[in-house]
Amino acid sequence: VQLQASGGGLVQAGGSLTISCAVSGRTFSVFVMGWFRQAPGKEREFVAVHRSGDTPYYADSVKGRFTVSRDSAKNTAYLQMNSLKSEDTAIYYCALTNKYLSGSPYYYSSPARYVWWGQGTQVTVSS
């Protein structure tokens, strides 16, 4: 399984950007797709998670500004980011696991829950 992230770039504060994560090598009927980010000198931070058949769950820091979605025909997930702030600057990663557990989506806020990772894409927000 391979995850290919793309779509990062430089954007002004208040602007928008959409990151894509294309999954290849296998198709999952049940999946959990997570999004994380890592700023320089900081630990990897949870952004959002989307379990198949469930409502996406977002970190408080991005709730109301970021939206995750998926195009099953293209086997691609998206992270749409609006009202970007300088503190959103980071390398953004998508991650995937087929180990689906019901219950609180907060369980998937840990990077350790995921099996496959994309290579990361840089998002820089200028103030």
Side-chain angles (χ1 to χ4, degrees), residues 12 22-23 33 35 38 47 52-53 62 74 83 86-87 92 98-99 123-124 127:
Q12 288 189 335
V23 180
M33 174 70 78
W35 293 90
Q38 190 165 16
V47 173
S52 51
V62 306
K74 295 182 178 179
S83 303
S86 57
E87 51 262 45
Y92 282 72
N98 60 344
K99 298 177 183 179
V123 173
T124 303
S127 57

Side-chain angles (χ1 to χ4, degrees), residues 70-82:
R70 177 178 176 248
D71 186 333
S72 57
K74 295 182 178 179
N75 219 18
T76 299
Y78 303 94
L79 177 67
Q80 180 180 349
M81 305 179 289
N82 298 325

Side-chain angles (χ1 to χ4, degrees), residues 54-66:
D54 197 7
T55 302
Y57 174 77
Y58 301 92
D60 288 343
S61 58
V62 306
K63 196 175 299 181
R65 301 188 297 122
F66 289 14

